[in-house]
């Protein structure tokens, strides 16, 4: 049956358009219930025995939530207790329209088999489709559609099965009017809160209920604290006329009364507007998109350097606040003042569930508590819970529900507990969540796209592939690596030249564009390596098995094969999809041993020696061209195999074989970059590393000058050369320190689409063009590059998104974001493990070097642990000693002693666990001895008692 | 224009018949052929109607769009006409064959309908001098069997009656910037007052008499015709003479009088039918183009 849906829309040019869509109704949409005998369905989702222990409904029943229930109470719906739910298409569409994240979560629930969530396409069902009536609003129509569908279900289930088990449907809605109408038409209907409270077996669910409107009022004082937000239409008009500006709200980490709003300008650059004071911040939360009105110039202020944490008990009267705000308004020099504004409206909230801890209210019986997020930029959130005593000391997640204008804090609800604070698993979860690393198990929808096991290479696979199984290919990786992306071979050709092959796992063979697996991988962007844990970008079957180029199994590969002469000049480059059979998976150390062991002369070893010889030449050439060799200390933890606690820590050392593999990967990446750029000028995915602005080098130059060493930063080559000759007698570590400093001066390398940019240069590698091709298992960028290359050599077909530079640019943005976050997460993980390590070690005395000198502190690097820490010279409770800071040096003179960059100091290291949410390593000076500043050397290291096991 | 070849004998037969007030198909001189009207036939227009008159079939669709008012009449909207003579109607229209006729028809329609006496143009104004509704009236000839003007005018009246213009609101922000806001209820729309919309009556001079709603054969016997647009009150709003022959003033007067009479009689049943159809609402059975 055909119906048409008509609606009018305003076009961008201001016209009005009438849009008519055809809408087909069908009579073969089944109810999805196991109990139904009438519907000719092949598989059912909803169980006959749909029992939830509810005191309201003692009979088996299915739930039909309305849109608002899904939107606001998704946290509860996600709980394993809630099963057998019918999600109507009307609801699904509305949710999709209103909130993308909730929609995604809902889709994930629906895909989960155990949850028994069924989508009923009521809009296309002949008996449940309704048309909008005159005078009916869109929402009313949807509510009616939901009621009609619920009614249909209740009648359908009544007739289909004799009433022995009496299956019923229960409509859940929070809308009073809807509820009343539903009751009138004889439906079973409850408010969501009512129903959840009736689940007697699971009282903890009540805490997760989002606060609905009528609850909010009682919580807050009636005093209006904030100015009203403007409606969206006013905001849009204001932005159009230029009286408001739109930007991203970025709260300050150090001062809760201050924030900046970042206004995206033309191209890369943007401007920032300062926002100060609670009223002006007007309930904006970090990362929200807000509309800002600039204040008149005479009200502009300078950013304060005061550190203010929102601490203590809940403040509902703002006496205290006013004082704090006053503290901000130190009269600043005219020049230091920045454009200042106030938030007038919120364009888009960017709330996510936040991790943090509960501040249990002092009043014992109180159910309302404040929650302090781990991220200092997020305000404290008021939540309601009955299990405060259990939750205290745990890391929990909380969602914000809203921020009424008469409430000092946003209102939220408890989502779930992550575990005890300080426990390893909990902290790992927290850092993944806080860095927005998608780390849930892969959903069934994604797993469905995996190849079926047992997997074998079929003749069809071979059609466009070269058979390279006879070659002596081997892989060299760090120990314990299970996702082997790359393998190498080298052999002498009959004409005396060398053939070198880099074989990369052919991940794009398994991940086809556009399917759920591809989308998931594109979203994750990268595999995240934490200490002792790996968050895969693709499911394990691919990452550690089918794509991993393990030894002695046949694997699909994408090969880049060069013919080189013995001077490592490339004579010919060739790309092909291939099948290889790796002969050995070696570690760097094993490979090194084979090369060094003159007794060994097997094919693998010969191949490795050839590679090593060429790599050395390549590296020399590269350095001659001006590639930088930078340094950063990477540490490796030795983990206890049982408890996974770190028991020792060492800095990673580099072997010749590391750089051997690296050289060939760089070569492959450059070759591929050139190829895909030649083929696709507009849409090649490349990686660039911009040259840093000269001012970035200031700190390096000053530091070098203090040791009378000259550093030239005009070009990468000059920098590399001057770093090479920078040496100070009797200070062997100086060069490394200098390189560490140079690394800090660098810019971030980023992915970009060649059609959107014209600067391709990679500064660090001194290459005019570069991309990532060699690690498709752990980086999504490489998969795209593989696809581009496959199209270029005719080995695979293309698809529209691949050639769309705007889509690709958007993808690059996500990849860059994910890479940055992965890096932060990695660092946070190392920091956390360092803390664990020091927790078990007690107090240590170590030698270190001054890396930076700040106004009131020095930053000390301990090479032994690769650890950096700050030694503060002023603190709240102590009278500050006389400190003289000289910015030119930079030097810091405390009483008689002057600290310079690179000074050798001794410090004592301990773990400061006073703030359980933000544990940190504390360093204190022991040598040089400065009275009143340094601390006495602690007694012989009180080697900690055997670390207590937490579980 | 579509023509048929008529032999001398046929001509004489037709002429003599008309002289005795009996036409070839049995009608009297002032009778119309069987007429069918259906409105709301094209869903993506704002108003549409299909009219068949004998074998003549026309389809009219009206799209309302927001435009700028004409500078001379800042507080009125306006209508635009386009007549598409498709080759479906007759093979002569193939290529650019129908263009001349199309222009001629649309010029006449423009004269007849685009004035404030026929259509309430003031109601089409949204914001004086800035925004008004422009009604794009598209006429599609599906089949030609004579008397196009009458069929088209009836179809236009029916389509105007059927037209639903989305209701808009003008909101002003503090800077005085004006923004058009659209009602989100698709049923919330403005209807046009078609009371004064005229119908065209074409009178063909055949021999010494004149007929309304001439078939192609009768047309071939006629030397000249008079196009008269008449409102429901019998007011003549426009007359136009077409055809090569001449008309004496006496017969013009006679023809005008006849036109007024016929026109007046045409409006009442037309409005009746339209209203009846409107009352059916959703229960209306759609006939469409295959019925």
């Amino acid at each position: 049956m055909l119906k048409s849906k008509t609606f009018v829309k305003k076009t961008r040019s201001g016209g009005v358009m009438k849009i008519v869509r055809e809408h087909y109704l069908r009579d073969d949409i089944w109810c999805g219930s196991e109990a139904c005998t009438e519907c000719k369905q092949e598989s059912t989702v909803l169980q006959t025995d749909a029992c939830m222990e509810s005191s309201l409904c003692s009979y088996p029943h299915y739930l039909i939530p309305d849109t608002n229930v899904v939107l606001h109470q998704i946290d509860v719906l996600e709980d394993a207790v809630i099963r057998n739910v019918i999600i109507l298409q009307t609801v699904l569409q509305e949710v999709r329209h209103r909130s993308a994240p909730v929609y995604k979560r809902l889709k994930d629930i629906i895909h989960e088999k155990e949850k028994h969530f069924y989508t009923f396409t009521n809009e296309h069902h002949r008996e449940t489709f309704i048309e909008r009536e005159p005078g009916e609003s869109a929402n009313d129509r949807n509510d009616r559609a939901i009621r009609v569908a619920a009614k249909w279900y209740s009648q359908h289930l009544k007739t289909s099965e004799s009433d022995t088990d009496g299956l019923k449907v229960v409509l859940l809605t929070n809308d009073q009017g809807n509820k009343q109408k539903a009751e009138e038409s004889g439906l079973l209907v409850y408010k969501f809160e009512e129903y959840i409270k009736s689940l007697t077996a699971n009282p903890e669910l009540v805490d997760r209920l989002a606060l609905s409107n009528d609850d909010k009022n009682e919580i807050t004082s009636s005093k209006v604290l904030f100015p009203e937000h403007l409606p969206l239409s006013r905001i849009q008009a204001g932005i159009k006329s230029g009286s408001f500006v739109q930007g991203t709200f970025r709260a300050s980490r150090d001062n809760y009364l201050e924030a900046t709003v970042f206004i995206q300008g033309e191209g890369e650059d943007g401007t920032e507007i300062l926002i100060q004071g609670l009223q002006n911040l007007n309930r904006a939360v970090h990362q929200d998109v807000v509309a800002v009105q600039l204040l008149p110039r005479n009200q502009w202020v300078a950013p304060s350097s005061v550190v203010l944490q929102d601490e203590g008990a809940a403040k509902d009267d703002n006496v205290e606040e006013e004082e704090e705000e006053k503290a901000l308004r130190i009269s600043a020099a005219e020049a230091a003042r920045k454009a200042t504004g106030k938030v007038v409206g919120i364009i888009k909230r960017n709330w996510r569930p936040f991790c943090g801890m509960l501040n249990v209210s002092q009043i014992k019986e109180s159910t309302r508590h404040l929650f302090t997020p781990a991220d200092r930029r997020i305000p404290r959130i008021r939540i309601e819970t009955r299990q405060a005593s259990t939750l205290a000391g745990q890391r929990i997640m909380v969602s914000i529900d809203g921020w009424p204008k008469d409430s000092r804090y946003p209102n939220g609800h408890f989502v779930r507990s992550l575990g005890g604070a300080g426990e390893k698993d909990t902290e790992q979860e927290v850092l993944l969540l806080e860095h927005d690393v998608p780390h849930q198990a892969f959903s069934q929808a994604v797993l469905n796209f995996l190849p079926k096991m047992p997997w074998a290479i079929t003749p069809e696979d071979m059609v466009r592939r070269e058979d390279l199984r006879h070659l002596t290919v081997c892989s060299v990786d760090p120990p314990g690596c299970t996702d082997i992306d790359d393998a190498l071979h080298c052999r002498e050709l009959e004409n005396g030249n060398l053939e070198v092959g880099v074989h990369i796992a052919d991940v794009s063979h398994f991940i086809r564009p556009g399917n759920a697996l591809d989308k998931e991988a594109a979203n994750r962007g990268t595999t995240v390596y934490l200490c002792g844990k790996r968050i895969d970008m693709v499911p394990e079957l691919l990452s550690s098995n089918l794509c991993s180029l393990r030894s002695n199994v046949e694997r699909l590969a994408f090969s880049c094969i060069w013919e080189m002469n013995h001077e490592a000049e490339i004579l010919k480059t060739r790309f092909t999809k291939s099948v290889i059979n790796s002969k050995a998976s070696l570690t760097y150390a094993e490979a090194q041993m084979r090369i060094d062991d003159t007794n060994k002369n097997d094919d693998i070893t010969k191949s490795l020696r050839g590679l090593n010889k060429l790599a050395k030449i390549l590296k020399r050439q590269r350095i001659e061209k001006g590639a930088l060799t930078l340094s950063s200390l990477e540490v490796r933890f030795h983990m206890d195999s049982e408890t996974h606690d770190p028991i020792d820590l060492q800095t990673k050392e580099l072997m010749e074989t590391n750089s051997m593999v690296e050289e060939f990967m760089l070569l492959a990446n450059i070759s591929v970059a050139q190829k895909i750029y030649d083929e696709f000028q507009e849409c090649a995915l490349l990686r660039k590393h911009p040259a840093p602005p000269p001012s970035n080098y200031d700190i390096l130059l000053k530091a070098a000058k203090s040791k009378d060493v000259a550093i030239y930063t005009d070009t990468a080559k000059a920098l590399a050369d001057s770093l090479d000759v920078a040496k100070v007698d009797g200070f062997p570590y100086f060069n490394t320190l200098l390189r560490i400093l140079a690394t800090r001066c660098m810019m971030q390398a980023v992915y970009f689409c060649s059609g959107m940019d014209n600067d391709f240069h990679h500064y660090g590698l001194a290459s005019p063009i570069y991309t990532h091709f060699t690690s498709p298992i752990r980086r999504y960028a490489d998969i795209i590059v593989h696809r581009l290359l496959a199209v270029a050599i005719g080995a695979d077909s293309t698809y529209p998104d691949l050639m769309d530079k705007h889509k690709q640019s958007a993808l690059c943005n996500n990849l860059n974001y994910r890479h940055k976050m992965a890096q932060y997460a990695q660092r946070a993980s190392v920091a956390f493990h360092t803390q664990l390590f020091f927790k078990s070690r007690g107090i240590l005395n170590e030698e270190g070097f001054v890396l930076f000198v700040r106004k009131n502190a020095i930053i000390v690097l301990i090479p032994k642990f690769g650890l950096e820490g700050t030694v503060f010279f002023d603190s709240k409770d102590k009278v500050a000693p006389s400190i003289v800071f000289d910015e030119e040096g930079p030097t810091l003179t405390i009483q008689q002693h002057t600290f310079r960059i690179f000074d050798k100091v001794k410090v004592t290291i301990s773990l400061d666990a006073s703030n359980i949410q933000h544990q940190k390593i504390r360093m204190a000076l022991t040598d040089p001895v400065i009275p009143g500043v340094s601390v006495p050397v602690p007694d012989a290291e009180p080697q900690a008692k055997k670390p207590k096991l937490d579980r | 224009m579509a023509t048929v070849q008529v032999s001398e004998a046929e001509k004489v037969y037709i002429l003599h018949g008309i002289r005795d007030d009996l036409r070839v198909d049995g009608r009297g001189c002032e009778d119309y052929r069987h007429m069918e009207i259906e409105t709301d036939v094209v869903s993506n227009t704002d108003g549409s109607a299909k009219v068949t008159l004998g074998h003549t079939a026309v389809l009219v669709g009206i799209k309302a769009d927001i435009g700028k008012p004409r500078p001379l009449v800042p507080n009125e909207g306006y209508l635009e006409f386009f007549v598409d003579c498709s080759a479906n109607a007759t093979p002569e229209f193939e290529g650019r064959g129908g263009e001349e006729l199309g222009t001629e028809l649309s010029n006449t329609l423009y004269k007849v309908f685009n004035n404030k006496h026929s259509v309430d143009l003031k109601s089409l104004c949204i914001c004086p001098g800035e925004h008004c509704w422009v009604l794009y009236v598209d006429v599609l000839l599906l089949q030609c069997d004579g008397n196009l003007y009458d069929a088209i005018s009836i179809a236009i009246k029916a389509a105007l009656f059927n037209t639903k213009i989305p209701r808009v609101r003008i909101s002003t922000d503090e800077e005085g910037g004006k923004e058009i806001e659209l009602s989100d209820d698709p049923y919330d729309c403005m209807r046009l007052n078609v009371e004064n919309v005229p119908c065209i009556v074409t009178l063909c001079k055949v021999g010494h008499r004149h007929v309304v709603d001439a078939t192609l054969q009768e047309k071939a016997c006629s030397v000249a015709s008079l196009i008269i647009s008449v409102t429901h009150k019998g007011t003549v709003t426009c007359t136009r003479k077409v055809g090569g022959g001449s008309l004496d003033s006496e017969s013009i007067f006679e023809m005008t009088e006849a036109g007024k009479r016929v026109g007046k009689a045409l409006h009442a049943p037309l409005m009746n039918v339209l209203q009846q159809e409107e009352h059916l609402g959703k229960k209306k059975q759609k006939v469409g183009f295959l019925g």
Side-chain angles (χ1 to χ4, degrees), chain A residues 451-464:
Chain A
K452 299 282 166 293
M453 292 303 278
W455 175 85
I457 296 170
T458 62
E460 293 95 81
D461 291 341
M462 293 300 294
V463 174
R464 283 188 181 150

Side-chain angles (χ1 to χ4, degrees), chain A residues 10 18 20 132-133 234 237, chain B residues 43 45 180 184-187:
Chain A
K10 220 170 94 178
K18 183 175 173 189
V20 181
R132 188 164 160 183
E133 304 214 317
R234 285 274 299 281
Chain B
S43 58
T45 58
I180 293 176
D184 101 307
D185 184 358
Y187 292 98

Side-chain angles (χ1 to χ4, degrees), chain A residues 4 6-10 14-20 131-138 233-234 237-238 240-241 243-244, chain B residues 40 42-47 63-66 133 164 166 168 173-175 179-187 282 286:
Chain A
S4 65
T6 309
F7 52 97
V8 270
K9 205 176 93 173
K10 220 170 94 178
V16 169
M17 202 157 63
K18 183 175 173 189
I19 293 164
V20 181
E131 269 178 282
R132 188 164 160 183
E133 304 214 317
E136 192 173 42
S137 78
S233 55
R234 285 274 299 281
K240 227 179 189 175
S241 68
S243 54
F244 303 151
Chain B
D40 209 6
V42 187
S43 58
N44 49 5
T45 58
D46 293 298
K63 288 281 271 180
D65 212 339
I66 293 176
W133 286 108
K164 300 179 184 79
V168 290
D173 54 22
E174 61 254 54
E175 277 83 38
E179 191 78 23
I180 293 176
E181 273 173 37
L182 206 58
S183 161
D184 101 307
D185 184 358
Y187 292 98
K282 288 222 163 110
K286 283 204 170 164

Side-chain angles (χ1 to χ4, degrees), chain A residues 834 838 843-850 857-863 865-873 878 905-912 920-926 933-935:
Chain A
T834 314
F838 283 105
I843 298 167
L844 289 181
N845 296 312
E846 288 297 337
E847 220 168 66
F849 298 98
V850 177
I858 52 172
I859 292 162
V860 178
L861 176 81
I862 317 279
F865 303 123
L867 174 74
E868 249 175 64
T870 314
V871 179
F872 284 102
F873 294 122
K878 261 196 288 182
V905 292
K906 280 192 182 142
V907 290
T908 156
I909 308 166
S910 59
L911 184 71
D912 177 4
K920 55 189 169 211
I921 303 282
R922 170 171 287 176
M923 285 191 186
L925 199 65
T926 56
V933 175
S934 60
V935 296

Side-chain angles (χ1 to χ4, degrees), chain A residues 622-636:
Chain A
R622 205 162 54 83
I623 288 175
E624 273 167 18
K625 270 196 272 169
L628 296 172
T629 335
L630 298 171
S631 177
S632 61
L633 287 176
E634 280 191 71
V635 290
R636 204 180 168 80

Side-chain angles (χ1 to χ4, degrees), chain A residues 305-447:
Chain A
S305 49
V306 189
V307 177
L308 268 184
Q309 298 292 332
D310 189 10
E311 278 167 340
K315 315 171 205 182
D316 277 326
D317 41 345
N318 36 13
V319 184
E320 223 173 314
E321 229 114 66
E322 273 161 21
E323 273 167 31
E324 285 180 352
E325 285 193 29
K326 240 179 252 164
L328 288 177
R329 298 201 190 95
I330 324 151
S331 61
E334 195 66 34
R337 294 191 179 187
K338 288 180 72 181
T340 311
K342 63 173 181 188
V343 174
V344 292
I346 309 282
I347 295 163
K348 187 168 176 281
R349 288 287 193 189
N350 245 335
W351 290 341
R352 57 185 171 94
F354 302 104
C355 302
M357 292 182 72
L358 202 65
N359 305 27
V360 179
S361 165
Q362 272 119 358
I363 309 154
K364 242 192 180 159
E365 283 77 32
S366 172
T367 54
R368 285 166 207 146
H369 306 274
L370 272 183
F371 160 88
T372 311
D375 189 339
R376 291 212 179 94
R377 292 169 296 190
I378 307 297
R380 292 197 286 175
I381 302 164
R382 199 193 305 258
I383 65 167
E384 197 169 341
T385 176
R386 282 159 202 80
Q387 22 178 354
S389 49
T390 16
L391 293 181
Q394 286 192 0
R395 290 277 199 171
I396 59 172
M397 271 176 94
V398 161
S399 278
I400 304 186
D401 297 324
W403 197 341
K405 61 174 183 282
D406 47 4
S407 163
R408 167 67 178 78
Y409 299 104
N411 293 325
H413 67 271
F414 166 70
V415 179
R416 66 192 168 105
S417 165
L418 302 170
E423 276 172 36
K424 201 149 65 302
D425 290 344
T426 315
E427 296 302 326
Q428 202 149 54
E429 178 90 9
V430 168
L431 74 90
L432 287 173
L433 287 167
E434 284 301 302
H435 291 96
D436 196 13
V437 175
H439 63 284
Q440 317 77 349
F442 287 95
S443 70
Q444 195 54 47
V446 169
L447 296 176

Side-chain angles (χ1 to χ4, degrees), chain A residues 53-118:
Chain A
E53 283 175 49
S54 164
S55 56
L56 281 174
C57 321
S58 49
Y59 35 80
H61 56 277
Y62 299 148
L63 299 174
I64 302 183
D66 78 354
T67 314
N68 278 322
V69 167
V70 173
L71 274 176
H72 298 133
Q73 311 289 3
I74 186 84
D75 288 332
V76 182
L77 293 176
E78 267 173 352
D79 194 276
V81 175
I82 308 289
R83 276 177 286 129
N84 291 304
V85 175
I86 299 163
I87 300 293
L88 301 177
Q89 190 193 7
T90 317
V91 174
L92 201 61
Q93 279 170 347
E94 259 191 303
V95 168
R96 181 170 150 180
H97 190 67
R98 305 242 305 256
S99 163
V102 174
Y103 178 68
K104 188 173 179 300
R105 286 165 75 183
L106 185 60
K107 285 298 259 189
D108 286 344
I109 306 179
I110 292 169
H111 280 299
E112 221 171 289
K113 284 225 162 60
E114 284 73 47
K115 293 282 285 169
H116 299 283
F117 270 50
Y118 179 68

